[in-house]
Amino acid sequence: MAIFAEFLQEKVTDPARQQRLRAIFDRLAKDYPQLVGKIGWRQPLYTDHGTFIIAFKPTKNYLTVSPEVAAMTKFAVAIEEAGYTQITNPFRSGWQQPISYSLLAAIITFNRVEKQG
């Protein structure tokens, strides 16, 4: 996704990590073309109808994924079963762990539906 190209170039120095993030962003753009990608709070994030859906923050040891708190609560077991570590709100995927696109899809869909209320 072009909106995140500068961020990836400046903030993610490891080429493998850049590629992993590009793959995630490309997949989300394909699966959720209605989401708007932008940089907010110094990290790539997605919104729908102007409201926050999910954010991704690359750190030294993890890719931190931050959905809304309600989604973290609803998917706590699935997040644990996927092998990700959870902290208060976000969950973390080690750089070598495969990303669960089905889990991301469930979280994004849940957040979108909940926000449309």
Side-chain angles (χ1 to χ4, degrees):
M1 177 170 244
I3 190 79
F4 300 136
E6 185 178 336
F7 174 88
L8 290 172
Q9 194 69 15
E10 291 178 5
K11 303 291 184 189
V12 183
T13 57
D14 183 291
R17 292 176 183 182
Q18 282 183 359
Q19 181 55 36
R20 180 176 180 167
L21 286 164
R22 275 191 200 97
I24 292 169
F25 299 152
D26 288 346
R27 176 77 177 261
L28 294 181
K30 178 180 161 261
D31 292 350
Y32 297 95
Q34 69 278 20
L35 294 182
V36 175
K38 67 181 195 173
I39 301 296
W41 304 298
R42 296 177 293 199
Q43 62 190 339
L45 61 87
Y46 289 89
T47 63
D48 186 23
H49 294 91
T51 187
F52 174 79
I53 299 297
I54 197 165
F56 299 88
K57 183 176 183 178
T59 65
K60 181 179 178 180
N61 296 315
Y62 302 97
L63 171 60
T64 301
V65 182
S66 300
E68 289 284 2
V69 174
M72 286 294 296
T73 301
K74 179 167 178 62
F75 294 100
V77 172
I79 290 166
E80 184 178 326
E81 288 174 352
Y84 304 133
T85 54
Q86 296 180 62
I87 47 183
T88 304
N89 181 27
F91 64 92
R92 301 179 299 195
S93 170
W95 284 109
Q96 301 305 316
Q97 282 181 282
I99 196 73
S100 173
Y101 287 106
S102 61
L103 178 58
L104 284 180
I107 289 170
I108 290 168
T109 300
F110 173 80
N111 276 347
R112 290 185 66 234
V113 169
E114 183 191 50
K115 298 266 180 137
Q116 291 173 353

